[in-house]
Amino acid sequence: MDGLSEREMLEAWLEFHRTTLLLKTEGVDDDARKARPVATSSLSLHGLVRHLAEVERSWFRRVLQRQPDAPYIWYDPKVEDSDIVPLDDADWVEDLARWQSECDESRRAAASRDLDDTGITRSGDSCSLRWIYVHMIEEYARHNGHADLIREMVDGAVGW
């Protein structure tokens, strides 16, 4: 990534991780995407996509665009992990489209701002677009590690 500006590099790494998550969900059926193969965890490939749609909305809409009342998609603040489980009635095609739509909205929100432009967190702290990019890269990288392990446990696939 030599020769890229700081912003181009941050955007490229975020896109890399978004694409990695998508690749982790391809080639398995609905049951495998909803599987929670780690007995002590509520994580599944499908649940991770839903969670990351909520994360996109939170950081780019609520914080950067200063829309604290932007509604949650699946998450209920009164129910822990409600964006991740249950998935009994979850529709993969709809949920994937929602995540992709949130990613598109995040790109639009960031496009008109500089890296030093700030939003406001729910605790009232100022937060720069630069910080949001770094946090989102970290968030996706961590969850892509989860997706790697889940995918390997579901069907043995490893790597990209």
Side-chain angles (χ1 to χ4, degrees):
M1 294 195 179
D2 287 341
L4 295 179
S5 70
E6 177 186 17
R7 183 182 188 121
E8 290 169 330
M9 181 180 56
L10 292 169
E11 289 174 348
W13 276 113
L14 182 52
E15 290 303 325
F16 169 83
H17 283 293
R18 286 172 174 151
T19 300
T20 299
L21 179 65
L22 181 60
L23 292 172
K24 286 290 161 193
T25 67
E26 291 181 339
V28 293
D29 64 19
D30 199 47
D31 288 338
R33 279 191 297 268
K34 289 180 179 177
R36 295 166 38 202
V38 179
T40 57
S41 174
S42 59
L43 293 179
S44 68
L45 296 172
H46 192 141
L48 286 172
V49 167
R50 287 172 54 136
H51 171 68
L52 286 160
E54 292 283 11
V55 171
E56 294 272 356
R57 178 172 285 206
S58 183
W59 285 104
F60 288 96
R61 287 193 195 196
R62 291 190 191 95
V63 175
L64 185 64
Q65 292 182 304
R66 299 178 185 221
Q67 298 175 5
D69 296 329
Y72 292 103
I73 306 165
W74 301 282
Y75 179 69
D76 178 348
K78 294 174 258 167
V79 181
E80 187 174 353
D81 294 334
S82 54
D83 52 337
I84 297 173
V85 290
L87 295 172
D88 301 334
D89 298 326
D91 181 285
W92 173 249
V93 173
E94 290 177 14
D95 292 354
L96 179 63
R98 180 49 82 76
W99 170 70
Q100 290 170 327
S101 175
E102 289 303 319
C103 291
D104 289 342
E105 178 60 31
S106 296
R107 290 180 194 99
R108 282 190 292 278
S112 63
R113 291 174 171 77
D114 293 328
L115 289 177
D116 292 325
D117 288 353
T118 59
I120 302 294
T121 67
R122 64 180 165 213
S123 63
D125 296 324
S126 182
C127 181
S128 72
L129 175 58
R130 176 182 288 105
W131 190 95
I132 292 169
Y133 274 138
V134 171
H135 175 68
M136 292 298 293
I137 292 165
E138 173 272 328
E139 182 86 6
Y140 271 94
R142 181 166 37 93
H143 288 311
N144 281 338
H146 297 142
D148 254 350
L149 293 172
I150 292 168
R151 182 63 189 262
E152 185 174 0
M153 292 178 80
V154 166
D155 72 351
V158 296
W160 304 103

